[in-house]
Amino acid sequence: MSSTPNLPVFNISNFDDYNNSINFDGSFYIRNFGEHVSENVFIEKPHGHNFYLMLLITKGKGVHTIDFTEYEVYPGALFIVSPGQIHHWNLSKDVDGHILFFTKQYFLHDFSTEKLTSFPFFNSTFSLPVIKLNAHELKSIVMKYDLIHEEYKLRATNYKEMIRVYLYAMFIELSRVYVKNNHKSLAFSYDLVQLNRYEALVDKYYKKHRPISCYSKKMNITDRQLSYLCKKTVNKTPLSILTDRIILEAKRLLIHSNLSVSSIGNELNYNNDSYFIRFFKKNTKLTPEQFRNSQYES
């Protein structure tokens, strides 16, 4: 388990695995959610992780907070949390469902990066992290969880390959529901791949405050094409996407670390404290201290 001040970042190997005596390599995990919650109580506090998490609720209620946004927990809610996101939950005692983790490398053993990033819900900045399933959809996804779980428990020949095939089938089915539920132009896989390329570059370079032209050059497209792409897919400008990423990191550090506002500004490559404070307030309507205090009071 790695960490930043006050914020644990978990690896899959940090979690109790009922079958870990049989070739548990820390790259995949699946379990009944009720059992998972009862045996890993440390996850109730805010934390991040370096893997993808998929949680399907079949019973119970509560609130799941992901990157400062609260989402209702109810039967038929499927949550997808990506690496780097901060989350925690407050759940009823009778909560149940299915949870699985997988690392990016685990999936990419048999599939390309484009296969993963073409799905609209594996976009941590803009995709909604919850998919609402109707009764028919819920039954179908539960069946896929069961198939994966059975492979994981039995561990027969080529079981990992079979798990990845079932995962891919699940992602296809969930992407259909996601696009149906979100009335946006998300059906164009090329646009989604390009958007994910831009966001991956932003995630890598946002602290360097590079101009938008640096990103478009790395993508081998023009600034105008990048602007059109971002507007078409998420109705945002490239600059607003970059700004949102900086603000998100600032919020994470304000809440989940003991760093001073000045130190956070330096961490984000703002050498002038006053400029960082003005930048934060312009985009959140609060100063960094006001935001920090408001979260502690809530």
Side-chain angles (χ1 to χ4, degrees), residues 138-198:
L138 175 60
K139 182 178 179 181
S140 180
I141 295 301
V142 166
M143 287 177 60
K144 288 181 174 58
Y145 263 97
D146 289 341
L147 288 169
I148 293 171
H149 208 162
E150 189 69 11
E151 287 290 331
Y152 187 67
K153 288 187 292 185
L154 294 178
R155 311 210 174 192
T157 303
N158 296 328
Y159 77 93
K160 291 183 180 180
E161 287 82 354
M162 187 66 80
I163 286 175
R164 284 188 279 265
V165 169
Y166 287 143
L167 274 178
Y168 188 56
M170 180 189 288
F171 298 161
I172 291 174
E173 186 167 349
L174 289 174
S175 68
R176 293 170 179 170
V177 179
Y178 186 95
V179 173
K180 180 188 71 175
N181 292 350
N182 297 276
H183 304 293
K184 297 179 180 179
S185 301
L186 293 173
F188 302 99
S189 60
Y190 172 79
D191 292 338
L192 285 172
V193 169
Q194 289 290 81
L195 177 66
N196 274 284
R197 285 185 63 200
Y198 175 59

Side-chain angles (χ1 to χ4, degrees), residues 4 16 21 29 48 54 64 70 72 82 88 96 107 116 130 134 145 153 167 177 208 210 253 256 280 283 291:
T4 55
D16 290 333
S21 60
Y29 172 104
M54 301 187 71
H64 190 179
E70 293 185 350
E72 181 186 1
S82 297
H88 64 281
D96 207 357
F107 184 79
L116 185 65
V130 60
N134 61 33
Y145 263 97
K153 288 187 292 185
L167 274 178
V177 179
K208 298 182 182 295
R210 292 185 172 180
L253 291 170
H256 303 300
F280 189 90
N283 288 281
F291 176 79

Side-chain angles (χ1 to χ4, degrees), residues 115-128:
K115 288 288 187 183
L116 185 65
T117 58
S118 65
F119 295 113
F121 37 77
F122 289 130
N123 180 324
S124 63
T125 304
F126 292 105
S127 60
L128 281 172

Side-chain angles (χ1 to χ4, degrees), residues 280-281 285-295 297:
F280 189 90
K281 185 173 183 179
K285 310 302 181 186
L286 297 171
T287 67
E289 284 291 355
Q290 287 171 336
F291 176 79
R292 175 175 268 172
N293 291 335
S294 71
Q295 296 298 305
E297 293 166 0

